[in-house]
Amino acid sequence: MQAAGGAPLSGEPAWPGRARRIALLVVVAAVVYVLDQVSKFLVVEFLEHEEPLTVVPGALVLTVIRNAGAAFSIGTGMTIVFTVIALGVVVAIVRTARKLRSLPWAITLGLLLGGAVGNLTDRIFRSPAPFQGHVVDFIQVFPVTRFPVFNLADSAIVCGGVLAVFLAWRGYQIDGTRQMDEPAGDHTKDHAEGHAEGEADKQAGEPAGERADG
């Protein structure tokens, strides 16, 4: 039972929905992180220093490289800068999760968090030095196009970014609400004003005698 305005009469905190969304965020992030780290371990163990492995001719090749830059080998030579940026992204996502009540945003933030932590783990723990480690990339699509080599964490970050842009474009908020182009109240007000103006114009067009008889 609820009081006016939708507030619960029992006084119980309205946070179970947020807790479920945060749990989903954590699960998605954990799945992304585990898949990323396991795949990197396997390719380093079995494919590094070996000839590239063609999975789908002309479409998918596995070749291990060490990336000192950002996703898709952008900005090599700025490893420590990207490490700090990745730490900032993780902190921002964790802080944002306090307002999380949206299922789509839980998935989006989970993808971003899992991908960011996956690459951040490489930067912190891999050679050549702590916090300056090179990220393991190994996925190459359509080699003839020379598209940059990437990893599963990069893929999760890109998917999360695309989802974030789509949700923001559609007006979906992190707190579970949706921001419309025109609030319902304004639409009702405009409709009422238009109806009133129409009635006034109609009466103005009637002869005086007819209005008096009415």
Side-chain angles (χ1 to χ4, degrees), residues 81-155:
V81 174
F82 290 120
T83 302
V84 173
I85 292 174
L87 282 169
V89 170
V90 171
V91 171
I93 292 174
V94 172
R95 289 174 60 88
T96 302
R98 294 182 299 179
K99 301 183 294 182
L100 182 62
R101 289 185 177 83
S102 167
L103 179 64
W105 273 107
I107 297 173
T108 299
L109 294 180
L111 290 170
L112 293 173
L113 181 61
V117 174
N119 282 340
L120 183 60
T121 300
D122 285 16
R123 298 189 187 282
I124 294 176
F125 296 108
R126 292 191 186 275
S127 60
F131 292 94
Q132 298 184 46
H134 294 178
V135 175
V136 174
D137 290 335
F138 60 93
I139 302 173
Q140 185 176 31
V141 294
F142 304 109
V144 70
T145 66
R146 298 188 180 277
F147 191 81
V149 182
F150 58 98
N151 57 45
L152 294 183
D154 296 335
S155 300

Side-chain angles (χ1 to χ4, degrees), residues 21-39:
R21 301 299 184 264
I22 292 176
L24 177 61
L25 184 157
V26 172
V27 169
V28 172
V31 170
V32 170
Y33 179 78
V34 170
L35 291 175
D36 175 67
Q37 292 300 301
V38 169
S39 64

Side-chain angles (χ1 to χ4, degrees), residues 33-79:
Y33 179 78
V34 170
L35 291 175
D36 175 67
Q37 292 300 301
V38 169
S39 64
K40 288 174 179 175
F41 171 81
L42 292 175
V43 297
V44 168
E45 186 73 15
F46 297 105
L47 294 181
E48 194 169 27
H49 309 304
E50 300 290 341
E51 291 296 321
L53 175 63
T54 299
V55 180
V56 180
L60 177 60
V61 175
L62 302 183
T63 180
V64 180
I65 66 170
R66 300 289 182 132
N67 175 17
F72 304 106
S73 302
I74 299 172
T76 57
M78 301 177 62
T79 308

